[in-house]
Amino acid sequence: DGGITQSPKYLFRKEGQNVTLSCEQNLNHDAMYWYRQDPGQGLRLIYYSQIVNDFQKGDIAEGYSVSREKKESFPLTVTSAQKNPTAFYLCASRDLGGSNYGYTFGSGTRLTVV
Amino acid sequence: GDSVTQMEGPVTLSEEAFLTINCTYTATGYPSLFWYVQYPGEGLQLLLKATKADDKGSNKGFEATYRKETTSFHLEKGSVQVSDSAVYFCALSVRAGSEKLVFGKGMKLTVNP
């Protein structure tokens, strides 16, 4: 079955460390997105990519970095510059040639700074 | 900029109660509107959608009508079940540029037996 796989499900990071969250999709979707979810704040867009080797900052990109070397992969690195990284991170993908509602979400990674 | 405002809750209902979750939006252009649901510990699932004014989206007993005159997309269900306990997000997407989703803050619903 096609879908989005995020790993790991739970991740613990020490202060000052960089960590990378994985997002892989086998839907052949063009666009991929990273959202951050905090209690009471909904989902906020971190980065998105509509094509390989290209990506754009979202609303809260500071302290994060991404790459899009392959169509099916869009890893997110949470750097030590991100002051409050503890959150639930969701990856999504979409077929730009399809309907306007073809977003598919992964099951998320919960990152905790210890 | 584009934005979504929705009831934040949390809300607790008894089984078989009527549910309304209000959602209003501000958008440049003509947005598509969505309701997503998130069950505990999981990602988001599309519940229903509407792509133009007066469209009614429906799924699993939930309904929402795209009201352009009031810029609203309220979610309703006539009789909730315990299995409807989840967080509900209203969202919009404008067909211009990146077409990214803009979410409301979400509302946690708990349904008690």
Side-chain angles (χ1 to χ4, degrees):
Chain A
D1 288 340
I4 293 184
T5 301
Q6 288 188 244
S7 61
K9 191 173 179 65
Y10 299 96
L11 186 58
F12 297 89
R13 188 194 94 172
K14 292 182 179 179
E15 287 200 27
Q17 284 183 336
N18 293 353
V19 290
T20 298
L21 283 60
S22 171
C23 178
E24 303 277 335
Q25 54 100 357
N26 60 3
L27 300 165
N28 199 34
H29 283 175
D30 305 297
M32 298 186 74
Y33 306 80
W34 274 106
Y35 285 89
R36 171 180 169 139
Q37 184 178 13
D38 296 282
Q41 295 208 46
L43 279 75
R44 294 179 289 169
L45 183 64
I46 305 172
Y47 268 100
Y48 63 98
S49 168
Q50 295 180 280
I51 194 170
V52 173
N53 292 323
D54 187 52
F55 47 83
Q56 309 295 327
K57 292 182 178 180
D59 301 317
I60 55 164
E62 185 175 353
Y64 300 96
S65 65
V66 293
S67 63
R68 187 87 185 277
E69 297 177 1
K70 299 184 296 182
K71 187 175 184 178
E72 58 269 24
S73 178
F74 191 42
L76 173 74
T77 296
V78 184
T79 75
S80 57
Q82 170 50 239
K83 298 305 179 187
N84 185 23
T86 295
F88 190 53
Y89 291 87
L90 284 163
C91 181
S93 71
R94 183 165 153 320
D95 178 10
L96 292 179
S99 60
N100 196 27
Y101 42 83
Y103 293 84
T104 302
F105 282 83
S107 57
T109 293
R110 186 166 298 281
L111 173 64
T112 303
V113 174
V114 296
Chain B
D2 302 331
S3 66
V4 174
T5 302
Q6 65 172 107
M7 287 173 59
E8 296 183 23
V11 170
T12 301
L13 297 175
S14 297
E15 206 165 23
E16 299 184 4
F18 183 83
L19 170 70
T20 299
I21 306 177
N22 289 340
C23 172
T24 57
Y25 67 88
T26 302
T28 54
Y30 300 96
S32 294
L33 302 173
F34 311 86
W35 278 100
Y36 281 86
V37 59
Q38 183 179 36
Y39 298 102
E42 298 184 10
L44 271 66
Q45 301 175 25
L46 178 64
L47 180 59
L48 54 83
K49 65 189 182 303
T51 57
K52 62 183 186 297
D54 299 325
D55 271 1
K56 177 185 282 188
S58 61
N59 185 25
K60 299 181 180 180
F62 291 89
E63 292 184 340
T65 301
Y66 189 144
R67 300 289 188 197
K68 186 178 177 183
E69 63 276 12
T70 55
T71 61
S72 65
F73 193 54
H74 305 322
L75 183 69
E76 296 182 337
K77 186 174 186 181
S79 176
V80 294
Q81 305 301 311
V82 172
S83 57
D84 294 326
S85 297
V87 180
Y88 292 82
F89 293 92
C90 186
L92 68 81
S93 175
V94 179
R95 185 173 284 281
S98 68
E99 299 191 48
K100 58 185 184 285
L101 281 173
V102 176
F103 288 90
K105 293 187 176 182
M107 195 207 80
K108 183 177 181 180
L109 170 68
T110 301
V111 180
N112 292 325

